[in-house]
Amino acid sequence: MRASGWVMHLALCGALLATIGCTPLAPWERGTLAKPAMALDPNPAQSAMRTHVRISREAASGGEATSGGGCGCN
Amino acid sequence: MAATETRSAETPRSKSLRTLTAAALALPGIMPAGSPAAEGSRATLDYQHYNEGRRDLASREYAELDLKAIEVDSLALAMHHAFHDLFALDLHYMQDTWAGATPVLSLPQAAISDQIYTGASIPQSYAVDRDGQPVTVNYDDFTGSGFAHNRDGRGVHLMGSASAETRRQVDATLGYAGGTHTLRIGGGVSEEPDYHSAFLSIGGTRDFNSKRTTVEWGASYTHANIDASLEANSAADWGAYAARIRLQDGQRTLFGQRRDTALTLGVTHIIDKHSLFALGAGYARASGYLGNPYKAVMLAFDDSSQLPDASGLRTVVLRGVLEQRPDQRHQWTLSARHVGYVERFDAALHADYRFFRDDWGIAAHTFEFAWHQPLGFGFSLIPGLRYYRQSRAEFYRAYFVFNQAMPVMPGPVIGGALPEIDHARLARHTFASDTRLSDFGFLAGQLAFKHELARGMTFEIGTEYGVHAGWLKLGGDGEGSFADYDSYFVYGSLALDLAAPALARAARREGHAVLLPRATPAGVRYAERLATAGDFAFGYRYEYGLTGGGLRRGSDDVSRREARANGCRDAPCVLLPVDINTHVSLLDLRYALSSRSTLMLATRFLSTDLDQSAVAARGAFEQDSSGGLGDSEVTWLHGLIDHQRYDFSLALGFSAPTGSIHSRLGDSRAFAPYALQLGSGTWDFVPTLTFADDHATWGWGAQATGRLRLESRNEVGYGLGDRIEASAWLSARLCAWLTASVRGLLSAASRIDGEYDARLAPHLVGYRYRGTEAVPVYSFDRAVHAHASPLDDPGAYGGLDFDLGFGLSSLIRNGPLAGNRIAFEWLQPMLNHSNGYQPDRDGRLFLTWELGF
């Protein structure tokens, strides 16, 4: 699939999902969402370390706005 | 006993309070990951070990080539501190040490057979049949009408080993949270011997729809300077990079600059009370020198105009060239993440997808799934799966075949140098054989185990095992099996709520401190007993040792000329040490068995950088590093006298040899100097006696400690000398929360006993044929450790030293960080008497941070 196709696909999914819940969710209804396991990245420090190793093994790792230096030349 | 009952009655309430606070702050849509002011103050420590499996080197083995598969040891420390309700500061330190062999380039296996037969130092040619397919030839089977041969389409890597290298990164982010929006700005630097980068970032979030939808944006800029030695790749043609290469420290060095700019935009949306999703898009642009200076490519020139020999074979000429990449890269990413709560199992399912595309022709898809299953009592099991697939860069090939004779630059070729390629007469100008740019798939299974300990501590250990293979690329066209390998990660992660001590104290309503209110200087260990049975404490100690500037023997400064002549055993030294810098991170966990006895587990993570000057070449340096897990200890701390004002304690510790003693010099595979080894290699006994007397405004103390080797030699043949230290200090309370100290430290260490065993080094003795394939035959000879530098002399280690220390210590008594203790000490060498030729000691810095629960 071409890149533009993926953009359209994701935009469509996003629009559909966004319509699912637009009414406010009361704080007491968010207890489950507050569990550590429900965080988008439950262990960001580990993710960052692993990404740094993957950068020197995969062409598509990195390239995000969360900066970090390093050659990754090995 | 009363205290214990009080705490057990109150802890659930305080835990509930913390949970509720964290829950309210961690709500997705309210505080996305990395947002300022989230979750009060916390710290995380992470250790990770990565190990790659061996590659298929066809007829050769790692042992025969004296290679070691690549390993990476990483350590990260992060601290998040929220203040004034609106602001937060994030500090982050990370280091990783890489050691082992990686592919430099790839080429046909037929070329290796040809090299083996001709005895050339590098592959220079191979034979192809009438169809242009590589063949291996059995030159021992000459029939008069030709050579026996068969097609061999296999590729193979040429591997290269480099000395271990450590990268260090420090960064900080300041965040602001106001109403429905947040803002963060950050920056940092990353340093490694050949790559120096600095980066800035800015980002923020905006909440909509009663914090049910959050839009997140970010931008970053990174600037890097590269100065990479090309000595390991000296035979390669430089191509378009010739203008970037100059001499530095006597070595041919490639200089480059690189700039990376990245933009991201994302949205997180809560679908319902059990699920949420996040969509993201990113664009990144890189420009400048984007190559990898340690990778080369093999160009194969198949001149079809040449006449075939009697067997119908033609010779293809090979030439290695530094890889040449475009100087710009545009990258786009799209990502979708979904987190759903599965009520039936009380579990969370994470499903992530990421799409990547760039203008180098690479397209990649990443799928990740993780299942977070609580097991009760704070335990969780987290199995996961990751699949990654990418298509190759337009300019990637295992090797490049040109149907032409090798075009060379006109003019004479000096000495035995290889002719320079005329790149203007090549059909393409970008090439890479770095397999990270190839067609492949990667499939990994993950398993993590998480435990939420009492009082704000969370511990996680995990592993990942993965296979990188061409056949795993869905859709086919994957790279050949020569590029396949497997790998694994293991990691440990500790997260601490820095406000937990204050919360626990408030809950207990008793105000007792877990850490004893002593004012021992930061460099003093084994005096960290806890106050009450059942208390926990965590400690982190950073030690930076600086050595260099000059050389000495005994108590006298010596010239480099004298050290060169007499510092090495049988011949003048080839290398002389200039600087040795050691970074040690020591982590300990303490548990009070009773009010008098505390059990302490400690481990260290260290990295050492050694610079030595080459005596033969003015201005030439050799840099070596080591890094990774050091030795670990278990210590029993016991108070001999229980008195409110003074403390007399005994510590009995045993040190286990968990640190490696196999650090090697990168390309030679000879043992590194003893100072670069990460551990002692022996079980050691560490007894300590400490006396401390604290008055209202001043105090004093004294300590005697020893490190006695329980084994005379380690498994590679030597034993570090015993070490005994005696110190005494005076402290003065400057104010309620700050104490200053001055300390004298006398230390004596004996010489290293024994020396490195002779190692078995491979030696090529001949070849045998397996079918038409030439297989090298090696014998293993004993190679005695060479004394190239005074640091290779075991008799030079140890001596008698006296240092004077100045320190500050603070036990925070109030506020959200109450119960945390931070301390600093600088040890200045005053008197030295070394056993042999040693570099001068410049001093030692200690920073400690302790947290009682």
Side-chain angles (χ1 to χ4, degrees), chain A residues 3 6-7 10 14 17-18 20-25 29-30 32-43 45-46 48-50 52-65 67-74, chain B residues 23 27-28 46 48 52 74 96 98 102 167 169 190 192 195 197 199 209-212 220 264 269-271 273-274 277 279 292 329 334 339 341 350 353-354 356 362 364-365 372 386 388 390 436 440 460 464 485 489 491 493:
Chain A
W6 282 102
V7 174
L10 281 174
L17 286 168
I20 293 171
C22 286
T23 55
L25 202 64
E29 293 180 292
R30 302 189 185 205
T32 300
L33 298 168
K35 290 173 184 274
M38 293 292 287
L40 279 172
D41 188 350
N43 198 338
Q46 266 301 321
M49 290 172 87
R50 216 173 294 183
H52 184 71
V53 174
R54 293 205 205 284
I55 281 173
S56 68
R57 292 294 176 265
E58 297 172 356
S61 292
E64 289 162 357
S67 318
C71 180
C73 291
N74 299 85
Chain B
L27 290 181
D46 291 87
Q48 177 186 274
E52 217 160 80
S74 310
D96 39 73
W98 295 68
T102 52
R167 183 186 79 93
Q169 176 177 322
S190 169
E192 55 197 302
Y195 199 92
S197 67
F199 46 91
N209 190 19
S210 300
K211 299 189 175 181
R212 195 162 177 176
S220 72
T264 58
H269 182 72
I270 296 172
I271 301 169
K273 61 183 183 180
H274 285 158
F277 74 88
L279 297 176
N292 182 334
R329 188 183 187 191
L334 293 172
V339 185
Y341 177 66
H350 287 243
Y353 167 74
R354 184 170 183 264
F356 171 95
I362 296 168
H365 304 270
H372 292 249
R386 179 174 189 269
Y388 172 87
Q390 75 170 49
R436 96 183 71 175
F440 69 90
E460 182 175 327
E464 174 188 294
Y485 62 88
F489 283 105
Y491 71 86
S493 177

Side-chain angles (χ1 to χ4, degrees), chain B residues 578-614:
Chain B
V578 177
D579 294 306
I580 311 175
N581 294 325
T582 306
H583 305 259
V584 183
S585 287
L586 187 131
L587 312 176
D588 73 66
L589 271 178
R590 277 163 270 162
Y591 178 71
L593 301 169
S594 70
S595 60
R596 281 196 176 195
S597 290
T598 295
L599 192 67
M600 177 167 75
L601 298 173
T603 191
R604 50 173 64 74
F605 189 96
L606 48 88
S607 66
T608 303
D609 300 320
L610 167 64
D611 286 347
Q612 299 197 87
S613 62

Side-chain angles (χ1 to χ4, degrees), chain B residues 127-131 135-139 141-150 307-314:
Chain B
V128 293
D129 59 18
R130 286 189 174 84
D131 299 326
V135 296
T136 53
V137 179
N138 185 348
Y139 292 94
D141 192 22
F142 182 63
T143 62
S145 60
F147 302 107
H149 62 265
N150 67 342
L307 292 174
D309 65 11
S311 304
L313 303 182
R314 296 195 306 272

